[in-house]
Amino acid sequence: MHLNSASLPTRRLVATLGLLVAAACMPALAQTHPGQDQLVSEVARDTGKDPQALNALLDGARKQQSILDAISRPAEAKPWKDYRPIFITPQRINDGIAFYRAHRGLLESIGRQYGVAPEYIVAIIGVETSYGRNTGKYKVLDALVTLGLYYPPRASFFRGELKTLLELPDNHLAGPLDTLTGSYAGAQGWGQFMPSSIRDYAVDADGDGRIDLKNSLPDIFASVANYFAKHGWQTGGPVAARAQADGAAKPITVKDSSPQWALEQLEAWGYAPGQLLNPGQPSSLQSLDGENGKEYWFTFQNFYVITKYNRSPLYALAVHQLAQAIAQGAGVTDSAQ
C-alpha cells in the first residue's frame, strides 16, 4: 500500500500520544526502597537466588515509623535502679522456675553438651521473650528493611542483617521469610536471634533438617547454649560478684565488660569482694546506679559472654540475677556464681 510521506510525522505524533496516554492509565509500580537494586544484585550474585523473587519480597516490605520510634528509646538507656525491675520480677522468676522444672531433662542435657549452665539458657529466654510468650509482633522483613534502608545511624549493621536474612536457606527459618515476626530490631524466635546469629550459631538439635527457633525447644535451647560456648563461656566459671568500695577507691571507667585486670589489682585499688574469689581471676568492674545508691560489681569472662548477646552491662547483670534466682528456686546445686 502506498503511504503519503507527508502523513508520517502526524502518525508518529499520534502513536507517541497514544503511548503516553496508555502509560498514564497503567497502575503505578511498587515503590522501590532506597538501595534495593544494589542489595538484590549482591544477594543474587552471592547466592544465585532469583532477583525477581528477591524484589517481590522486598516490594512487599514496608517502612514502619513505629520501628524507628522504638529504636530511639531502648530500655538499656535507663539507670540500673529502673532497668532491673523490668526484668527481675516475682512473676518472671516464678515462671522461670516452672519452665526449668518442666524442661529440666532437656535443659541439663544440652547444658552438659555445651558446657553452659542451663539456668542461663532459661534466663536468656526469660528476659528476651518471657519464656516464648512474647516473640515480637513486627514482620522481620519490615524491621530490617526499615532499619537497614531508612535508619542512617545504624544502617550498615541492619543492612548487613537484611542481606543475611535474604541469603539464609529456607531450612534455617521457622517458616516462609515473609511471614516471620519478631522484635522491632528484626530478632526472631524464643532466644531472639538476628539473622547473622542464625547463620553462625543456630543449631538443628532435634535432627529434623530444619533450624526452628520458634517451635523446637531442642533447637532453641541448643542455639542459645552454642552461642555462649562459641563466644568463650567458661564451664563452671564465675559471672559477677558484688564489690564494696572503700573511701579511697580509685575511680574506674571501662569501655566494655572484657576482663582487664586480675581481681587482686582491683582489690589493691580499693574494691573488696564480698565472697571468696580467686585473686588471680581476670576481671573487670561495673559501677551502676542502684536503688540504694552506687553499686559496684566485679565481672568475669562469662559476664562478658552475656554482653555478646546484648552489649549492655545492665542486660548481662539482669540475666545473671534472674538465672541465680531460677537456679535457687529450681534446686540447682551446681549453678554458676
Side-chain angles (χ1 to χ4, degrees):
M1 179 174 66
H2 175 70
L3 294 177
N4 184 342
S5 60
S7 68
L8 286 176
T10 302
R11 289 171 181 267
R12 291 195 185 102
L13 177 61
V14 170
T16 301
L17 289 172
L19 289 172
L20 290 173
V21 170
C25 294
M26 290 175 63
L29 295 176
Q31 175 66 45
T32 300
H33 302 290
Q36 178 173 326
D37 291 345
Q38 179 63 30
L39 177 63
V40 167
S41 174
E42 292 173 17
V43 174
R45 178 198 66 207
D46 294 345
T47 66
K49 289 188 175 183
D50 178 19
Q52 186 174 350
L54 292 168
N55 273 311
L57 280 170
L58 291 170
D59 288 342
R62 293 291 174 261
K63 174 187 174 184
Q64 301 282 359
Q65 184 60 42
S66 59
I67 291 171
L68 296 172
D69 294 340
I71 201 169
S72 69
R73 51 174 191 271
E76 285 77 9
K78 299 177 183 292
W80 174 237
K81 65 183 178 64
D82 296 327
Y83 183 90
R84 185 183 187 278
I86 298 173
F87 298 103
I88 310 298
T89 65
Q91 179 176 349
R92 203 181 297 257
I93 291 170
N94 290 333
D95 288 350
I97 293 167
F99 188 89
Y100 190 107
R101 287 173 173 164
H103 306 291
R104 188 170 201 135
L106 179 60
L107 281 164
E108 294 185 350
S109 173
I110 287 174
R112 286 191 297 272
Q113 179 181 351
Y114 289 94
V116 174
E119 62 267 26
Y120 286 87
I121 301 172
V122 176
I124 285 286
I125 295 169
V127 167
E128 292 289 345
T129 63
S130 291
Y131 312 104
R133 287 196 296 269
N134 180 19
T135 58
K137 63 181 180 179
Y138 294 99
K139 291 187 70 172
V140 170
L141 198 56
D142 284 358
L144 293 178
V145 163
T146 297
L147 297 175
L149 304 181
Y150 295 96
Y151 185 61
R154 297 195 65 193
S156 176
F157 170 77
F158 285 107
R159 185 189 185 276
E161 293 295 333
L162 174 58
K163 181 173 184 286
T164 299
L165 178 71
L166 295 171
E167 291 176 343
L168 285 174
D170 291 343
N171 69 348
H172 280 50
L173 299 169
L177 192 152
D178 58 350
T179 68
L180 300 173
T181 56
S183 74
Y184 69 79
Q188 57 191 284
W190 289 29
Q192 294 289 275
F193 270 41
M194 295 296 288
S196 61
S197 293
I198 295 175
R199 179 195 64 202
D200 296 338
Y201 307 110
V203 177
D204 172 24
D206 60 14
D208 68 351
R210 174 178 291 276
I211 295 172
D212 187 343
L213 301 184
K214 185 176 181 180
N215 302 295
S216 169
L217 287 179
D219 291 5
I220 293 164
F221 296 166
S223 295
V224 173
N226 187 50
Y227 188 98
F228 276 12
K230 290 292 177 63
H231 281 91
W233 183 272
Q234 294 178 345
T235 303
V239 178
R242 192 70 182 264
Q244 183 66 45
D246 65 31
K250 176 182 177 179
I252 294 175
T253 302
V254 296
K255 292 182 179 180
D256 61 27
S257 302
S258 60
Q260 300 177 48
W261 306 282
L263 184 66
E264 59 191 357
Q265 177 63 74
L266 292 172
E267 290 188 66
W269 286 338
Y271 298 92
Q275 64 192 73
L276 185 62
L277 294 167
N278 175 5
Q281 182 79 39
S283 60
S284 186
L285 187 81
Q286 293 293 329
S287 172
L288 305 176
D289 294 321
E291 186 176 358
N292 299 311
K294 190 68 71 175
E295 292 183 13
Y296 297 97
W297 289 85
F298 296 122
T299 62
F300 307 101
Q301 171 65 17
N302 287 348
F303 187 94
Y304 182 52
V305 170
I306 299 172
T307 67
K308 292 297 185 177
Y309 214 98
N310 180 314
R311 63 185 177 181
S312 167
L314 305 183
Y315 175 92
L317 191 55
V319 168
H320 171 62
Q321 292 189 356
L322 180 59
Q324 291 293 285
I326 290 169
Q328 182 178 7
V332 178
T333 59
D334 57 347
S335 64
Q337 299 300 310

